[in-house]
Amino acid sequence: MNYSEVETDAEYVARLETGADWRAEIESLAAEVDAGAAWFTALGAVQDAELAFYDQNDLEYYTIDADEPLEVASCVGNVAWLDDERFAHTHVVLSDADGETISGHLNEATVWAGEVYMRVFEDDLVREYDETTALDLWL
Amino acid sequence: MNYSEVETDAEYVARLETGADWRAEIESLAAEVDAGAAWFTALGAVQDAELAFYDQNDLEYYTIDADEPLEVASCVGNVAWLDDERFAHTHVVLSDADGETISGHLNEATVWAGEVYMRVFEDDLVREYDETTALDLWL
Amino acid sequence: MNYSEVETDAEYVARLETGADWRAEIESLAAEVDAGAAWFTALGAVQDAELAFYDQNDLEYYTIDADEPLEVASCVGNVAWLDDERFAHTHVVLSDADGETISGHLNEATVWAGEVYMRVFEDDLVREYDETTALDLWL
């Protein structure tokens, strides 16, 4: 296991804009507060979503479309540099009117309402290609 | 996006009382430590639960009943003022004996066991009516 | 409700080792940084998993096997002492290629990739037998 002690520079709460993209909003927040590394949790609801599942044999992501309003029952993720852009690695749990649940890696989702708590770390995290998983990982 | 830097006054861990209401317990904790704003994550199990789904067309919540013991696989939320009361906006992911999962906005649930981590912020958060979503939102 | 104010000694981010056990990795991190109490959230993917559901009538855990690659859509937990060992009480939400979700208490899982944020508290948490639930609880 690779680990690193982090120091928190600042903490934020944010309300995501209705109609905007969930992940882009989090990346915007990171950019506005000049974050090179951050950790967040969030909750809310979206108007639709595209999730992704990483196939560990094919070593690629396949998308899952959800074209309906869903609660964001959970959202956990972090912000790091990926190819010189801030990338918010975001996993979500989404639920429909019956409580039925789909979840996974979030590509995009249209915000209905979103409440985020973010901690910004002093030192940057940078994603680099990992040979074993073919994913871009930090540390 | 609206956002605000927050300062943490204090952090707490809590064990929720078996037989009490999950959300009311979190609101009690907030009241006991005089919190006007807080963020929390939690895990545990409940004896039953009532979830809710917000219908983005009808602009109202519809309830989902779960009358059986369930694990609380995830719980994320925050405390803010709503009509002069502390309100713990709480989303949960719940699972049964087969791991089958329902999730959403938590109205109430009878605690079996609950472990909570809460950060209390210096400045209050206040929910106000939002025209676009007909929800009470802060910031 | 029992609660306690906590002071954070240090914060860490960690990348779990591909092929190792998810929970053991978190316990290793806790041991390496000498943590007697910690709170964490995490995300990632696993190659397989064994969950457990606590039967509130029988007062015992029954296991749920998931022998396939799954995303870790959410992971919330804490580290405390249990019988003089560090125990990472870990709840997860897991999803497959269709976004279908199972969740619950995590016994073990083979890491594909895992990203963890952990806060280590100054004072230890110790689990002790609770008569009402027959679980080992802290506070």
Side-chain angles (χ1 to χ4, degrees), chain B residues 7 43 67 75 96 103 107 122 139:
Chain B
E7 301 275 342
L43 67 161
D67 284 328
C75 176
D96 71 11
S103 55
N107 279 346
E122 204 166 279
L139 294 187

Side-chain angles (χ1 to χ4, degrees), chain A residues 9-101:
Chain A
D9 258 352
E11 307 171 68
Y12 300 90
V13 292
R15 174 156 76 86
L16 306 182
E17 190 76 18
T18 307
D21 178 65
W22 185 279
R23 194 161 62 76
E25 281 282 276
I26 292 172
E27 288 161 353
S28 275
L29 171 61
E32 283 197 47
V33 301
D34 207 26
W39 196 271
F40 58 87
T41 55
L43 68 160
V46 293
Q47 301 177 46
D48 53 47
E50 183 187 283
L51 301 181
F53 176 81
Y54 192 74
D55 189 300
Q56 296 173 19
N57 295 309
D58 297 356
L59 301 178
E60 56 180 306
Y61 278 108
Y62 293 103
T63 58
I64 303 160
D65 280 312
D67 283 327
E68 57 172 342
L70 297 158
E71 298 287 314
V72 179
S74 165
C75 176
V76 181
N78 57 73
V79 177
W81 293 108
L82 173 64
D83 302 331
D84 299 320
E85 308 262 356
R86 287 178 178 89
F87 173 66
H89 185 209
T90 307
H91 280 200
V92 292
V93 182
L94 306 173
S95 60
D96 71 10
D98 298 314
E100 281 183 29
T101 301

Side-chain angles (χ1 to χ4, degrees), chain C residues 47-79:
Chain C
Q47 301 176 46
D48 52 46
E50 182 187 283
L51 301 182
F53 176 82
Y54 192 73
D55 189 301
Q56 297 173 18
N57 295 308
D58 297 356
L59 300 179
E60 56 180 307
Y61 278 107
Y62 293 104
T63 58
I64 303 161
D65 280 312
D67 284 328
E68 58 172 342
L70 296 158
E71 297 288 315
V72 178
S74 165
C75 176
V76 181
N78 57 73
V79 177

